[in-house]
Amino acid sequence: MAVVAVAGCSNSEESDGGNASGELTKVTYLTAFNTFGREAYAYVAKEKGFFAEEGLDVDIQVGKGSGENMSAIESGAADFAPVDSTGYMLVKGSGKVKGVTAIAAIQQRSMVGIMTLDDTGITTPKDLEGKKMGDQQGATTTILFPLYASAAGIDASKVTIVPTEAGVLAGALAQKKVDAIGQFVVGKPLIEGAAKDGRKAVSLPFSDVLTDLYGHFLLTSDKMAAEKPEVAQKFTRALLKGLEFSNSNPKESADILLKAVPTGNATIAAAEMEIMKVYTLGDAPKLGVVDEARVAKVVALLESANQIPAGKTPADFVKIDLAPKA
């Protein structure tokens, strides 16, 4: 079984210098989406000096979601960004984006799922039958729902999916316009905050039944991976160091995030990180690893659902030769 892990330093650069002159290498990073608590680890890596230790000067910018992040990397407007792995594989597999590749896994388990509130009576997948689920049109949740329903033993045709803009999903659920919503499971504190009445959020993670799916992949450009692999390795190493710190210190990490983005909520941010911690490690030996055989299973799953054309391999999605195998 082949494994992609964060690689060590290349021979061409020392880990404490961006280039031969000692100047820091400037790169741009996009958050996955907005500046929720789940994004704190990048700000931690910058604040704690992890990027600088690797010779990098990182400009952290606010990402607008998987599609725009992939486009930014493809065009050269950004160098690195986390993107939901399944959404990425669907888009790249269908040929809608080119010139990007994955170099690490931020979460070992998918965070895609369905969220509801405890007054809806939905506690198991079967309870979704006969209910309305709000989701952004074209979202990974909607695309994967038939596969999830089949694996969970429910009739997908009995669930009505209501197209709902991402920004109003939590409100639609709180106001009982829908019974459930497509949502990353780390959004539980946000959902409860939107309810404002003590109702508790209930999560139905897709990873409970679709166990091979990863969470976010860290993406870079094919150009970066081919021409400056040492920069990609250094960035990955520093970012994952920030993730490791955030896993162990959610409150301090939330404070660091709020220092950079004062409009957030430290309590919610810390709670999101606490939830995400479980997803970042899974059964992997360390943060960031990507199992080639497991990626092959995801490829087969998406092919079986006619979501990507046949004949794709893990190498089409992950830069396997960027790092040594574990």
Side-chain angles (χ1 to χ4, degrees), residues 223-235:
K223 181 178 175 66
M224 174 72 77
E227 298 180 5
K228 299 180 180 179
E230 71 284 350
V231 174
Q233 293 167 4
K234 289 179 178 186
F235 181 87

Side-chain angles (χ1 to χ4, degrees), residues 115-196:
M115 194 81 69
T116 186
L117 289 164
D118 60 6
D119 63 339
T120 63
I122 300 173
T123 59
T124 69
K126 190 70 175 176
D127 298 326
L128 291 167
E129 294 183 354
K131 301 295 197 301
K132 293 187 294 184
M133 181 179 82
D135 200 22
Q136 186 174 11
Q137 197 163 12
T140 304
T141 320
T142 295
I143 293 170
L144 289 178
F145 185 71
L147 288 172
Y148 170 76
S150 176
I154 64 175
D155 187 344
S157 68
K158 293 182 179 180
V159 181
T160 302
I161 297 179
V162 181
T164 309
E165 290 297 320
V168 299
L169 279 171
L173 178 61
Q175 296 163 25
K176 301 185 179 181
K177 294 179 180 178
V178 293
D179 305 298
I181 59 174
Q183 181 69 223
F184 284 132
V185 294
V186 291
K188 185 174 184 286
L190 285 172
I191 299 304
E192 292 177 346
K196 299 179 181 179

Side-chain angles (χ1 to χ4, degrees), residues 252-287:
E252 183 179 350
S253 298
D255 291 338
I256 290 172
L257 174 64
L258 268 292
K259 180 180 176 181
V261 189
T263 56
N265 182 301
T267 301
I268 290 177
E272 282 198 1
M273 281 183 281
E274 287 278 12
I275 296 170
M276 190 173 78
K277 178 180 179 179
V278 176
Y279 290 81
T280 61
L281 268 176
D283 297 325
K286 62 180 180 180
L287 293 173

Side-chain angles (χ1 to χ4, degrees), residues 291-302:
D291 187 310
E292 183 182 5
R294 183 173 159 193
V295 175
K297 290 181 181 179
V298 179
V299 171
L301 178 69
L302 298 180

